[in-house]
Amino acid sequence: MSFRFRLWVFLVGAAGFAVLFAVACFGLPAFGSGHHPYGVRAVRASLNHHTANVVASVNFDLRAFDTLGEETILFAAVLGAVVLLRQTQDERRKTPEPAVVHPRVRRFALLTLPLALLVGLYVIAHGQISPGGGFQGGVVTATALHLLYVASDYRALERVRPLTVYEIGEAAGEAAYVVTGFAAVLAGSAFLANVLPFGTLATLSSGGTVPLLNAAVGLEVASGVVVLLARFLDQAVEIEEPGESEEPRGCGRPKESEGPEASGASGASGDDDNRDDKRE
């Protein structure tokens, strides 16, 4: 396929898209109008299923299949990063040096860590009630754990971050979402349909399958972000490329032939030899 042919295909497709986009824009309600048919339908459907957070109702009820695609995109991205950033045969791991952290930074990070972790878990658990949800809470939870890296060093983070557990957690979150969808099929409804009792509005048990799907996304996002950051931090801190010095930076000692005393000694011995030659 030549470049000219590809260019013509692109131009025809772009022109068609521009025409359809213009027609759609002219069909929109007037600016500032109070008529919002999709918003009215979304609020009505959310209240009918006892989900106080309309955004969570849209994400995990009205368009739960689309959310599965978004979750799968993150899952595939983390999997790709794990494959690309894995340790190769000609690379080796080195023990990270202890980091020097200012006491005030250490105290602030250690005090903030449990608070940030609690906020992340709260956002995940209350996704169907208040603003937030699995995506937002998962990111907060994962980044809160890395405050230990700021407060101490990388070795302290590794002790409380077993990657195998988080890799299993990411896969379990993705699988739980799919299993919930197939459970609705076994119940005689559509895939990812809301078939559980809706419960009482504005409570943790409200929303039917919305809390389950929200928790599955929170588990997948939190675990995936931890694994993703771990792979990048490994490359920056632990994995050493071929040809790099085995000794830590700043801790090496000069070789005997390179030190000033050695050079002075060699110069002195040379002078003595010259003097002996002159005497002879």
Side-chain angles (χ1 to χ4, degrees):
M1 185 181 296
S2 63
F3 173 77
R4 184 182 298 273
F5 182 75
R6 293 198 303 267
L7 180 61
W8 276 108
V9 171
F10 169 75
L11 292 177
V12 171
F17 174 79
V19 171
L20 294 176
F21 185 77
V23 172
C25 288
F26 283 114
L28 292 175
F31 182 77
S33 173
H35 179 63
H36 302 286
Y38 297 108
V40 172
R41 290 187 177 92
V43 173
R44 185 183 299 116
S46 176
L47 295 178
N48 289 338
H49 288 182
H50 297 181
T51 307
N53 185 7
V54 180
V55 176
S57 176
V58 173
N59 290 336
F60 303 109
D61 193 354
L62 301 181
R63 51 179 293 272
F65 188 76
D66 295 340
T67 304
L68 173 60
E70 297 172 0
E71 183 186 24
T72 305
I73 289 174
L74 176 61
F75 179 81
V78 175
L79 181 61
V82 170
V83 173
L84 293 175
L85 298 177
R86 69 187 186 279
Q87 183 179 353
T88 58
Q89 294 181 352
D90 55 351
E91 293 178 339
R92 67 179 186 85
R93 288 185 175 272
K94 61 180 179 180
T95 304
E97 299 180 43
V100 179
V101 183
H102 195 279
R104 294 181 180 178
V105 176
R106 182 187 299 272
R107 287 194 297 267
F108 178 79
L110 291 178
L111 290 175
T112 309
L113 192 154
L115 179 62
L117 191 62
L118 181 62
V119 170
L121 296 176
Y122 178 90
V123 171
I124 296 175
H126 292 76
Q128 75 276 12
I129 301 175
S130 58
F135 284 102
Q136 299 87 340
V139 173
V140 174
T141 303
T143 52
L145 183 64
H146 287 77
L147 285 174
L148 186 60
Y149 175 57
V150 178
S152 183
D153 55 16
Y154 194 58
R155 292 184 297 179
L157 175 62
E158 286 184 319
R159 285 193 291 268
V160 299
R161 190 208 57 189
L163 279 184
T164 303
V165 175
Y166 289 97
E167 290 172 351
I168 295 174
E170 185 191 14
E174 178 77 12
Y177 201 104
V178 177
V179 168
T180 304
F182 281 115
V185 176
L186 295 177
S189 185
F191 181 69
L192 289 173
N194 199 337
V195 295
L196 293 180
F198 298 141
T200 305
L201 181 66
T203 60
L204 290 178
S205 60
S206 63
T209 57
V210 172
L212 298 180
L213 298 178
N214 181 60
V217 169
L219 176 62
E220 196 273 336
V221 172
S223 301
V225 172
V226 169
V227 173
L228 187 64
L229 293 177
R231 294 303 177 182
F232 280 102
L233 285 174
D234 283 349
Q235 288 289 329
V237 178
E238 282 196 336
I239 295 181
E240 190 174 59
E241 297 181 356
E244 293 184 359
S245 175
E246 296 183 1
E247 295 182 351
R249 296 179 180 177
C251 297
R253 292 180 298 176
K255 297 181 180 179
E256 296 180 359
S257 60
E258 296 178 355
E261 297 178 358
S263 60
S266 60
S269 60
D271 294 340
D272 293 339
D273 295 339
N274 293 335
R275 292 171 184 172
D276 293 340
D277 293 340
K278 290 180 180 179
R279 292 174 183 174
E280 292 177 357

